[in-house]
């Protein structure tokens, strides 16, 4: 065996690797992953470039973390395979030539003398072992006989099944990393999008948000229709936790939003000079409209959730219309007569803070934007391996912990019409239970004679 | 009946039970132990009712905020304790395990924990919530059994080294008990925490694994118990070193469960 293989065959190496992977994984939970360079600079200052160079900011896909997982897989494969060979031999071609001294050297072995011929003891022993569901292998000698009773032998392979399952999961992860396809589709009602690398498209037919009585969001629902070669193939309402599956693609309700950039606004203009003659104007964010022959209204910006940052610069805290505000400029014959923020939630704000010499007051009465639903599309060929791995890992754990193999070795020796029986049990776990079972087998053998 | 009256009643029975368990430990009267066991079973029965009422009152699984979670974890730990009593026929652990249960119940009762039920955010509306959380917590409850057994092991073996005995607990028994608890907890934690977690993440978020801090910490917890098993089975570690791994493993499980929510941010931060 080369020293390379020997290194990777050892469980010590596995333990060292698991400890290193654990420490690395902990580091990855302490440093937020996949943020912008600016955020790291703010958080860690001068250390930021070092962290990025060491790939600590995208640790779980870093070269060195993947290398650790690769070494771990190698370790697992070599370790499992090397131990599998002797195990298979032991299970399928068991050793039957045990000598009396060998048996007596085993823990809890015992010797019993029966005053009946060996053939008779042998026959009774066989039937008792069968009634305890033992499978029997035997070998006849001249005046002796060896008999091996075994059950639940597949338990020996529990750990191997677990290890194989872990490999399957790692292969699944690798497959996902290399070959999965994901994208987010932002769809407006009625909009259709073709799915890349496929021969079909999906259309959003309806999108609704449901609320609890207290106003909290209960669910988002998107009705999606799959269109293939201009035919509607199927229609399903997708909601959180209930994706649509079609041809290896899964469609998830992932988010929603509004096109505030193209918001439609309704602005009321009151003139101090002409009271009671309010004008209502519809205008799109970013556009200009002329109402009076010489009055021009320009909406420069619309923020759905107006707040000021540390430098008193306005920005939108979220995409939700919590505090909608529009920055509006009004000019008459090229001369600016109003410019400022209008707040839909605080219509009086404009009145309380009128432009110094503005003859107008404005109000943002209404705002709307088209809503879209964000559908996450994924095609992940790794999931098959993952689910197979999950099933095998549970099977393997059940075998390893709760299907403990039991072996009982018997050696019968004929001694002038009498029979000497040597017994010893072997179990890797729950030895006491096997001892009890052996006691029962022997006492029923004693009763039978 | 309401959950808000059943919960304190449960707590009361658990407190009474511990009192009897400890009296039995110090007076060595077996009878008191059986009284303790009976009181725990009554408390557990009321706890079941409390959880059922909570489910009816809130309209969803009784483990979606910290108060509910603590109560449910206490419930799982008592269940694991009752199973351990039956399977391992080892009653002396119960007194110490009840200390953990009482700590959880006290934390849940503290005014720091908001008790009102809130409606579920969309991502949590799934029957996978039931499977994922309940099986994981039951697994962790068996880790708690191993944790207590391991701490007692360290105390008992230190006393034995000085030629004393520790309330008639033998260190050898505690060591094997710890392993048997891990042998139940590990498959449950694997099934609930990792397998059901991945299945649900795939259904809700469209990916089975996202390296979210809570996911990574479950994996770290799992690694600790893998270390426990391998050092024990393959390298023959027993006793002290084994006990320390089981103790640190449970602390990792607790951190995964409570710490991650408060200290690290991620997808799981609503739970
Ligand atoms: C985190 C990853 C791993 C897990 C979850 C795992 C799981 C298990 C389990 C459940 C057992 C059975 C324990 C028992 O019967 O009490 C076992 C046994 C064993 N494992 Fe692992 N294992 C992992 C990694 C490894 C690695 C990398 C190696 C290779 C060096 C390894 C080598 C062994 C060996 C030699 C046994 C002895 C039992 C036998 O072969 O029958 N394991 N493992």
């Amino acid at each position: 065996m080369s020293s390379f293989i020997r290194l990777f065959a050892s469980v010590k190496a596995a333990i060292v690797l698991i400890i290193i992977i654990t420490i690395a994984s902990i580091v990855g939970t302490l440093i937020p992953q996949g943020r912008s360079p600016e955020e790291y600079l703010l958080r860690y200052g001068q250390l930021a470039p070092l962290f990025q160079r060491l790939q600590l900011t995208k640790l779980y896909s870093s070269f060195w973390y993947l290398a650790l997982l690769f070494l771990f897989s190698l370790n697992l494969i070599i370790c499992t395979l090397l131990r599998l060979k002797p195990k298979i031999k032991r299970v399928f071609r068991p050793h039957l030539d045990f000598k009396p001294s060998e048996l007596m050297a085993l823990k809890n072995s015992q010797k019993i003398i029966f005053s009946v011929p060996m053939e008779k003891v042998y026959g009774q022993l066989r039937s008792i072992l069968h009634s305890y569901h033992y499978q029997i292998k035997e070998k006849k000698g001249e005046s002796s006989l060896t008999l091996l009773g075994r059950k639940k032998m597949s338990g020996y392979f529990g750990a191997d099944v677990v290890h194989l399952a872990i490999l399957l999961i790692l292969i699944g992860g690798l497959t996902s990393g290399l070959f999965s396809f994901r994208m987010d589709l932002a769809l407006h009602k009625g909009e259709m999008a073709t799915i890349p690398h496929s021969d079909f498209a999906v259309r959003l037919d309806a999108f609704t948000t449901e609320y609890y009585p207290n106003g909290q969001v209960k669910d988002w629902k998107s009705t999606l229709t799959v269109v293939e070669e201009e035919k509607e193939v199927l229609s399903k309402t997708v909601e959180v936790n209930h994706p649509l599956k079609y041809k290896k693609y899964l469609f998830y309700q992932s988010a929603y939003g509004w096109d505030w950039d193209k918001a439609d606004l309704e602005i009321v203009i009151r003139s101090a000079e002409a009271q009671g003659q309010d004008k209502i104007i519809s205008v799109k964010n970013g556009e200009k409209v002329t109402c009076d022959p010489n009055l021009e209204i320009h909406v420069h910006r619309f923020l759905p959730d107006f707040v000021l940052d540390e430098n008193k610069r306005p920005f939108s805290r979220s995409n939700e219309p919590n505090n909608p505000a529009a920055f509006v400029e009004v000019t008459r014959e090229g001369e600016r007569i109003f410019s400022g923020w209008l707040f839909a939630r605080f219509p009086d704000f404009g009145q309380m803070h009128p432009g110094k010499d503005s003859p107008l007051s404005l109000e943002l009465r209404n705002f709307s934007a088209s809503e879209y639903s964000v559908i996450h599309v994924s095609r992940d060929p790794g999931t098959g391996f993952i689910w197979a791995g999950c099933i095998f890992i549970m099977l393997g754990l059940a075998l390893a912990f709760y299907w403990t193999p039991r072996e009982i070795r018997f050696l019968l020796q004929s001694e002038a019409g009498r029979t000497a029986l040597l017994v010893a049990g072997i179990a890797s776990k729950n030895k006491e239970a096997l001892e009890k079972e052996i006691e029962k087998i022997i006492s029923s053998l004693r009763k039978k004679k | 009946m309401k959950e808000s009256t059943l919960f304190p009643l449960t707590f009361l029975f658990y407190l009474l039970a511990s009192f009897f368990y400890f009296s039995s430990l110090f007076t060595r009267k077996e009878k008191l132990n059986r009284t303790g066991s009976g009181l725990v079973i009554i408390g557990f029965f009321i706890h079941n009712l409390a959880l059922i009422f909570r489910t009816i009152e809130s309209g969803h699984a009784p483990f979606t905020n910290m108060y509910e979670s603590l109560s449910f974890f206490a419930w799982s730990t008592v269940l694991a304790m009752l199973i351990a009593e039956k399977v391992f026929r080892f009653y002396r652990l119960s007194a110490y395990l009840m200390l953990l249960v009482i700590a959880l119940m006290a934390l849940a009762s503290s005014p720091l924990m908001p008790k009102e039920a809130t409606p579920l955010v969309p991502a949590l509306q799934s029957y996978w919530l039931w499977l994922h959380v309940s099986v994981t917590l039951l697994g962790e409850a068996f880790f708690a059994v191993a944790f207590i057994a391991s701490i007692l092991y360290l105390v008992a073996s230190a006393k034995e080294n000085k030629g004393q005995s520790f309330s008639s607990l033998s260190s050898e028994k505690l060591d094997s008990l710890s392993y048997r608890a891990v042998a139940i907890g590990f498959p449950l934690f694997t099934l609930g925490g990792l397998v059901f977690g991945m299945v649900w993440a795939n259904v809700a978020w469209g990916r089975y694994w996202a390296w979210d801090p809570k996911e990574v910490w479950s994996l770290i917890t799992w690694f600790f118990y893998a270390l426990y098993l391998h050092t024990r089975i393959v390298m023959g570690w027993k006793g002290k070193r084994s006990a320390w791994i089981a103790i640190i493993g449970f602390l990792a499980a607790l951190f995964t469960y409570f710490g991650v929510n408060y200290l690290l941010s991620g997808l799981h931060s609503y739970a």
Side-chain angles (χ1 to χ4, degrees), chain A residues 14 75-76 79 83 87 159 163 166 401 429, chain B residues 179 222 230 233:
Chain A
N75 188 196
L76 196 55
C79 189
R83 284 168 183 255
K87 248 195 245 183
H163 296 152
I166 292 170
F401 291 122
K429 278 175 205 149
Chain B
Y179 171 74
W222 195 65
H230 288 80
I233 298 294

Side-chain angles (χ1 to χ4, degrees), chain A residues 216-227:
Chain A
Q216 199 188 315
V217 171
K218 186 176 182 198
D219 208 357
W220 297 286
K221 293 184 174 172
S222 295
T223 306
L224 296 178
T225 299
V226 176
V227 180

Side-chain angles (χ1 to χ4, degrees), chain A residues 48-323:
Chain A
L50 179 69
F51 282 9
Q52 277 159 316
R53 203 155 335 119
L54 293 174
Q55 297 182 298
L56 298 181
T57 55
K58 49 182 180 79
L59 190 149
Y60 304 110
S61 55
S62 69
F63 172 75
W64 60 269
Y65 193 79
L66 295 178
L68 282 174
L69 290 184
F70 175 75
L71 289 180
F72 175 76
S73 316
L74 210 63
N75 188 196
L76 196 55
I77 296 171
I78 294 175
C79 189
T80 305
L81 287 184
L82 282 182
R83 284 168 183 255
L84 204 52
K85 234 167 115 186
K87 248 195 245 183
I88 288 176
K89 184 161 179 268
R90 177 168 175 184
V91 171
F92 294 101
R93 278 182 285 126
H95 159 71
L96 285 170
D97 298 307
F98 8 98
K99 296 184 178 57
S101 57
E102 250 179 88
L103 270 192
M104 289 312 285
L106 288 170
K107 238 188 179 174
N108 293 321
S109 57
Q110 43 181 312
K111 185 173 185 172
I112 304 127
I113 308 287
F114 292 93
S115 52
V116 287
M118 190 173 84
E119 289 308 315
K120 198 166 174 197
V121 178
Y122 164 71
Q124 285 167 350
L125 185 58
R126 273 192 69 104
S127 74
I128 294 168
L129 284 177
H130 276 304
S131 73
Y132 279 89
H133 306 290
Y134 277 90
Q135 284 168 331
I136 296 168
K137 293 230 174 208
E138 58 195 33
K139 191 167 176 178
K140 283 202 170 92
E142 277 168 33
S143 62
S144 71
L145 198 141
T146 55
L147 201 139
L148 178 64
R150 305 185 302 170
K151 66 179 176 190
K152 300 186 178 172
M153 293 306 279
S154 47
Y156 272 124
F157 299 106
D160 306 293
V161 175
V162 172
H163 296 152
L164 172 98
I166 292 170
L167 276 177
L168 274 176
I169 289 172
L170 285 166
I171 290 170
L174 188 66
T175 310
S176 294
L178 293 176
F179 304 115
S180 72
F181 164 81
R182 323 182 151 268
M183 70 182 295
D184 283 322
L185 292 175
L187 292 174
H188 293 90
K189 209 174 125 186
E191 209 176 335
M192 185 145 89
T194 48
I195 308 303
H197 324 296
S198 83
D199 49 3
F200 64 92
V202 291
R203 189 180 67 219
L204 181 71
D205 286 337
F207 175 66
T208 52
T209 306
E210 289 176 6
Y211 296 90
Y212 289 109
N214 72 354
Q216 199 188 315
V217 171
K218 186 176 182 198
D219 208 357
W220 297 286
K221 293 184 174 172
S222 295
T223 306
L224 296 178
T225 299
V226 176
V227 180
E228 195 169 349
E229 289 169 2
E230 295 178 9
K231 277 200 293 276
E232 294 183 1
V233 186
L234 80 125
S235 215
K236 182 182 167 172
T237 300
V238 166
E239 54 188 295
V240 184
N241 277 310
H242 300 276
L244 158 73
K245 184 163 193 183
Y246 186 70
K247 284 195 174 170
K248 297 190 176 159
Y249 285 83
L250 280 149
F251 299 86
Y252 297 86
Q253 179 68 58
S254 136
Y256 69 100
W258 291 271
D259 275 336
W260 297 119
D261 286 349
K262 287 179 244 152
D264 288 305
L265 309 176
E266 214 174 273
I267 293 170
V268 184
I269 302 180
R270 288 191 196 91
S271 163
E273 295 142 24
Q275 286 207 345
Q277 294 185 13
D278 297 359
K279 286 202 185 73
I280 300 175
I281 295 166
S282 297
V283 56
K284 243 188 176 26
N285 183 19
E287 290 182 359
K288 262 186 213 166
V289 288
T290 312
C291 57
D292 255 347
N294 47 22
L295 201 64
E296 206 175 55
I297 292 144
H298 188 175
V299 178
H300 287 279
R301 233 175 134 190
F302 176 82
L303 299 176
D305 193 359
F306 179 99
V307 278
L308 293 174
D309 69 8
E310 307 98 80
N311 304 321
K312 302 261 169 143
R313 276 188 310 234
F315 74 106
S316 194
R317 185 168 42 194
S318 74
N319 225 355
E320 302 283 328
N322 293 329
N323 185 19

Side-chain angles (χ1 to χ4, degrees), chain A residues 11-12 14-16 18-19 21-22 25-26 29-30 33 35 60-61 65 69 72 83 162-163 166 169 172-174 176-177 182 212 214 216-220 239-243 250 252-253 376 378 380 382-383 386-387 390-391 393-394 397-398 400-402 429-430, chain B residues 118-128 179-188 190-192 194-196 198-208 210-214 216-217 219-224 226-227 229-231 233-235 237 255 264-266:
Chain A
V11 177
K12 275 209 184 97
I15 284 163
V16 170
I18 292 178
I19 291 173
I21 293 172
T22 303
S25 306
I26 293 175
T29 64
L30 300 178
Q33 300 287 299
R35 305 284 171 86
Y60 304 110
S61 55
Y65 193 79
L69 290 184
F72 175 76
R83 284 168 183 255
V162 172
H163 296 152
I166 292 170
I169 289 172
L174 188 66
S176 294
R182 323 182 151 268
Y212 289 109
N214 72 354
Q216 199 188 315
V217 171
K218 186 176 182 198
D219 208 357
W220 297 286
E239 54 188 295
V240 184
N241 277 310
H242 300 276
L250 280 149
Y252 297 86
Q253 179 68 58
H376 180 74
S378 95
D380 189 342
T383 50
I386 300 291
W387 308 140
C390 286
I391 291 170
I393 209 168
M394 292 319 300
L397 287 174
F401 291 122
Y402 298 103
K429 278 175 205 149
N430 213 352
Chain B
T118 48
L120 286 189
V121 299
L124 291 182
Q125 295 163 24
S126 168
Y127 53 83
W128 286 107
Y179 171 74
R180 291 178 70 187
V182 172
I184 300 175
F186 192 72
L188 284 173
T190 308
L191 182 67
L194 300 175
V195 175
F196 289 165
M198 286 200 286
V199 175
W200 188 16
N202 196 51
V203 167
W205 300 324
R207 47 174 68 215
Y208 54 85
W211 296 103
D212 169 73
K214 193 125 180 160
V216 177
W217 270 96
L219 188 66
I220 290 164
T221 304
W222 195 65
F223 279 155
F224 271 112
L227 282 178
L229 293 173
H230 288 80
T231 49
I233 298 294
V234 188
M235 295 169 64
W237 286 19
F255 185 75
L264 308 169
S265 65

